[in-house]
Amino acid sequence: MSQRVAILLSGGGSNMVRLIESMTGDHPARPVLVLSNDPDAGGLAKARALGVETAAISHKAFKGDRPGFEAALSVPLAAARPDIICLAGFMRVLTADFVRQWQGRMLNIHPSLLPKYRGLNTHARAIEAGDAEAGCTVHEVTAELDDGPILGQARVPIQPGDSAESLAARVLAQEHCLYPAVLRRFAAGDRRPILLP
Ligand code: GRF
């Protein structure tokens, strides 16, 4: 039986597209929903073009009432009955209650080599610190932001003259390889971390 996957996003959805394109053939999972907190998120149209069900719940309508927003988010989720949730550029911080409901079956991709640089502006901070390398991490989501067991990492050398934008572009290319590889393994019940390259 294929694992059912819901993907949550807030923006353009380039990771979502790679995840959906990877779930074919002998892949142990299939996409069942792409859900956004922004009805205008560019990723929704891309998901529809790939033939996947979409839904949007604007967090703005809830004026900071996170449990209320999450209760609304749970309606299309309950209808789609996912086994796995992939956060792919989903920019709302989820409450511990919501995370507990999906504990052990919710993944996230973060654009740094966790545990370094939790939060935002990860590339600028790595360059600022004079690091030799940056990267991205796929991890299981826990109540602690950008924490949880690591399921995969990809390392990207920082080059002289790199800007946060030029580095972000090279890291994003690695994200597009790492997340599908981790999802395939995770959906097969294998939690051994994948380290690229
Ligand atoms: C990615 O860099 C991801 O690591 C971060 O948000 C960005 C989303 O990009 N959490 P996209 O919407 O998948 O193109």
Side-chain angles (χ1 to χ4, degrees), residues 11-16 88-89 91 108-111 172 175-176:
S14 71
N15 277 289
M16 173 273 298
M91 303 310 279
N108 180 46
I109 187 147
H110 181 76
L172 191 61
E175 293 182 34
H176 295 163

Side-chain angles (χ1 to χ4, degrees), residues 1 3-6 32-33 76-84 102 105:
M1 248 317 259
Q3 296 281 296
R4 299 168 65 85
V5 175
V32 292
L33 177 69
L77 276 175
R81 294 180 296 105
D83 303 295
I84 299 169
W102 296 97
R105 44 197 186 120

Side-chain angles (χ1 to χ4, degrees), residues 11 26 45 57 69 116 120 136 148 162 165 168 193:
D26 67 350
I57 308 284
F69 166 62
K116 289 185 92 169
L120 301 173
C136 53
D162 249 333
E165 292 69 32

